[in-house]
PDB file of all heavy atoms in Angstrom:
ATOM      1  N   PHE D  47      13.584  27.664 -64.648  1.00  0.00           N
ATOM      2  CA  PHE D  47      12.771  27.019 -65.674  1.00  0.00           C
ATOM      3  C   PHE D  47      11.688  28.007 -66.082  1.00  0.00           C
ATOM      4  O   PHE D  47      11.111  28.681 -65.234  1.00  0.00           O
ATOM      5  CB  PHE D  47      12.163  25.701 -65.179  1.00  0.00           C
ATOM      6  CG  PHE D  47      11.317  25.835 -63.960  1.00  0.00           C
ATOM      7  CD1 PHE D  47       9.935  25.970 -64.052  1.00  0.00           C
ATOM      8  CD2 PHE D  47      11.887  25.831 -62.695  1.00  0.00           C
ATOM      9  CE1 PHE D  47       9.146  26.088 -62.913  1.00  0.00           C
ATOM     10  CE2 PHE D  47      11.103  25.954 -61.553  1.00  0.00           C
ATOM     11  CZ  PHE D  47       9.733  26.084 -61.664  1.00  0.00           C
ATOM     12  N   GLY D  48      11.466  28.108 -67.379  1.00  0.00           N
ATOM     13  CA  GLY D  48      10.499  29.090 -67.870  1.00  0.00           C
ATOM     14  C   GLY D  48      10.831  30.450 -67.274  1.00  0.00           C
ATOM     15  O   GLY D  48      11.995  30.831 -67.176  1.00  0.00           O
ATOM     16  N   PRO D  49       9.802  31.197 -66.833  1.00  0.00           N
ATOM     17  CA  PRO D  49      10.058  32.494 -66.213  1.00  0.00           C
ATOM     18  C   PRO D  49      10.348  32.405 -64.711  1.00  0.00           C
ATOM     19  O   PRO D  49      10.422  33.416 -64.026  1.00  0.00           O
ATOM     20  CB  PRO D  49       8.751  33.249 -66.457  1.00  0.00           C
ATOM     21  CG  PRO D  49       7.705  32.181 -66.443  1.00  0.00           C
ATOM     22  CD  PRO D  49       8.371  30.969 -67.070  1.00  0.00           C
ATOM     23  N   PHE D  50      10.534  31.186 -64.194  1.00  0.00           N
ATOM     24  CA  PHE D  50      10.655  30.965 -62.752  1.00  0.00           C
ATOM     25  C   PHE D  50      12.081  30.634 -62.329  1.00  0.00           C
ATOM     26  O   PHE D  50      12.872  30.100 -63.098  1.00  0.00           O
ATOM     27  CB  PHE D  50       9.727  29.837 -62.303  1.00  0.00           C
ATOM     28  CG  PHE D  50       8.279  30.116 -62.571  1.00  0.00           C
ATOM     29  CD1 PHE D  50       7.670  29.608 -63.701  1.00  0.00           C
ATOM     30  CD2 PHE D  50       7.540  30.917 -61.715  1.00  0.00           C
ATOM     31  CE1 PHE D  50       6.336  29.872 -63.967  1.00  0.00           C
ATOM     32  CE2 PHE D  50       6.205  31.190 -61.974  1.00  0.00           C
ATOM     33  CZ  PHE D  50       5.608  30.670 -63.104  1.00  0.00           C
ATOM     34  N   CYS D  51      12.347  30.938 -61.083  1.00  0.00           N
ATOM     35  CA  CYS D  51      13.626  30.616 -60.449  1.00  0.00           C
ATOM     36  C   CYS D  51      13.322  30.027 -59.075  1.00  0.00           C
ATOM     37  O   CYS D  51      12.686  30.679 -58.246  1.00  0.00           O
ATOM     38  CB  CYS D  51      14.477  31.879 -60.318  1.00  0.00           C
ATOM     39  SG  CYS D  51      16.030  31.586 -59.469  1.00  0.00           S
ATOM     40  N   LEU D  52      13.741  28.803 -58.873  1.00  0.00           N
ATOM     41  CA  LEU D  52      13.542  28.128 -57.593  1.00  0.00           C
ATOM     42  C   LEU D  52      14.844  28.171 -56.813  1.00  0.00           C
ATOM     43  O   LEU D  52      15.899  27.805 -57.330  1.00  0.00           O
ATOM     44  CB  LEU D  52      13.114  26.677 -57.821  1.00  0.00           C
ATOM     45  CG  LEU D  52      12.990  25.814 -56.569  1.00  0.00           C
ATOM     46  CD1 LEU D  52      11.859  26.303 -55.672  1.00  0.00           C
ATOM     47  CD2 LEU D  52      12.771  24.359 -56.963  1.00  0.00           C
ATOM     48  N   LEU D  53      14.750  28.655 -55.584  1.00  0.00           N
ATOM     49  CA  LEU D  53      15.885  28.655 -54.654  1.00  0.00           C
ATOM     50  C   LEU D  53      15.559  27.643 -53.558  1.00  0.00           C
ATOM     51  O   LEU D  53      14.987  27.995 -52.521  1.00  0.00           O
ATOM     52  CB  LEU D  53      16.104  30.051 -54.070  1.00  0.00           C
ATOM     53  CG  LEU D  53      16.270  31.186 -55.081  1.00  0.00           C
ATOM     54  CD1 LEU D  53      16.332  32.536 -54.381  1.00  0.00           C
ATOM     55  CD2 LEU D  53      17.492  30.955 -55.945  1.00  0.00           C
ATOM     56  N   PRO D  54      15.870  26.366 -53.791  1.00  0.00           N
ATOM     57  CA  PRO D  54      15.441  25.326 -52.856  1.00  0.00           C
ATOM     58  C   PRO D  54      16.025  25.466 -51.459  1.00  0.00           C
ATOM     59  O   PRO D  54      15.350  25.138 -50.484  1.00  0.00           O
ATOM     60  CB  PRO D  54      15.886  24.019 -53.517  1.00  0.00           C
ATOM     61  CG  PRO D  54      16.826  24.391 -54.585  1.00  0.00           C
ATOM     62  CD  PRO D  54      16.606  25.822 -54.925  1.00  0.00           C
ATOM     63  N   THR D  55      17.246  25.967 -51.349  1.00  0.00           N
ATOM     64  CA  THR D  55      17.840  26.103 -50.016  1.00  0.00           C
ATOM     65  C   THR D  55      17.163  27.211 -49.212  1.00  0.00           C
ATOM     66  O   THR D  55      17.194  27.197 -47.988  1.00  0.00           O
ATOM     67  CB  THR D  55      19.355  26.386 -50.102  1.00  0.00           C
ATOM     68  OG1 THR D  55      19.570  27.559 -50.885  1.00  0.00           O
ATOM     69  CG2 THR D  55      20.094  25.208 -50.712  1.00  0.00           C
ATOM     70  N   GLN D  56      16.554  28.159 -49.914  1.00  0.00           N
ATOM     71  CA  GLN D  56      15.805  29.234 -49.243  1.00  0.00           C
ATOM     72  C   GLN D  56      14.313  28.941 -49.206  1.00  0.00           C
ATOM     73  O   GLN D  56      13.540  29.695 -48.640  1.00  0.00           O
ATOM     74  CB  GLN D  56      16.036  30.561 -49.951  1.00  0.00           C
ATOM     75  CG  GLN D  56      17.436  31.066 -49.845  1.00  0.00           C
ATOM     76  CD  GLN D  56      17.602  32.417 -50.520  1.00  0.00           C
ATOM     77  OE1 GLN D  56      16.647  33.157 -50.711  1.00  0.00           O
ATOM     78  NE2 GLN D  56      18.819  32.739 -50.872  1.00  0.00           N
ATOM     79  N   PHE D  57      13.912  27.843 -49.856  1.00  0.00           N
ATOM     80  CA  PHE D  57      12.504  27.445 -49.915  1.00  0.00           C
ATOM     81  C   PHE D  57      11.673  28.578 -50.518  1.00  0.00           C
ATOM     82  O   PHE D  57      10.699  29.045 -49.937  1.00  0.00           O
ATOM     83  CB  PHE D  57      12.013  27.075 -48.507  1.00  0.00           C
ATOM     84  CG  PHE D  57      11.002  25.971 -48.516  1.00  0.00           C
ATOM     85  CD1 PHE D  57      11.321  24.733 -49.034  1.00  0.00           C
ATOM     86  CD2 PHE D  57       9.745  26.170 -48.006  1.00  0.00           C
ATOM     87  CE1 PHE D  57      10.394  23.708 -49.049  1.00  0.00           C
ATOM     88  CE2 PHE D  57       8.810  25.157 -48.016  1.00  0.00           C
ATOM     89  CZ  PHE D  57       9.136  23.919 -48.534  1.00  0.00           C
ATOM     90  N   LEU D  58      12.101  29.029 -51.723  1.00  0.00           N
ATOM     91  CA  LEU D  58      11.522  30.206 -52.345  1.00  0.00           C
ATOM     92  C   LEU D  58      11.408  30.013 -53.848  1.00  0.00           C
ATOM     93  O   LEU D  58      12.354  29.541 -54.495  1.00  0.00           O
ATOM     94  CB  LEU D  58      12.412  31.411 -52.035  1.00  0.00           C
ATOM     95  CG  LEU D  58      11.985  32.784 -52.510  1.00  0.00           C
ATOM     96  CD1 LEU D  58      10.681  33.218 -51.854  1.00  0.00           C
ATOM     97  CD2 LEU D  58      13.087  33.791 -52.205  1.00  0.00           C
ATOM     98  N   LEU D  59      10.253  30.389 -54.405  1.00  0.00           N
ATOM     99  CA  LEU D  59      10.036  30.383 -55.843  1.00  0.00           C
ATOM    100  C   LEU D  59       9.841  31.824 -56.277  1.00  0.00           C
ATOM    101  O   LEU D  59       9.027  32.550 -55.697  1.00  0.00           O
ATOM    102  CB  LEU D  59       8.802  29.545 -56.204  1.00  0.00           C
ATOM    103  CG  LEU D  59       8.461  29.468 -57.692  1.00  0.00           C
ATOM    104  CD1 LEU D  59       9.558  28.729 -58.468  1.00  0.00           C
ATOM    105  CD2 LEU D  59       7.116  28.766 -57.891  1.00  0.00           C
TER     106      LEU D  59
END
Side-chain angles (χ1 to χ4, degrees):
F47 58 96
F50 299 97
C51 177
L52 175 66
L53 306 174
T55 57
Q56 293 182 22
F57 214 60
L58 183 63
L59 180 65

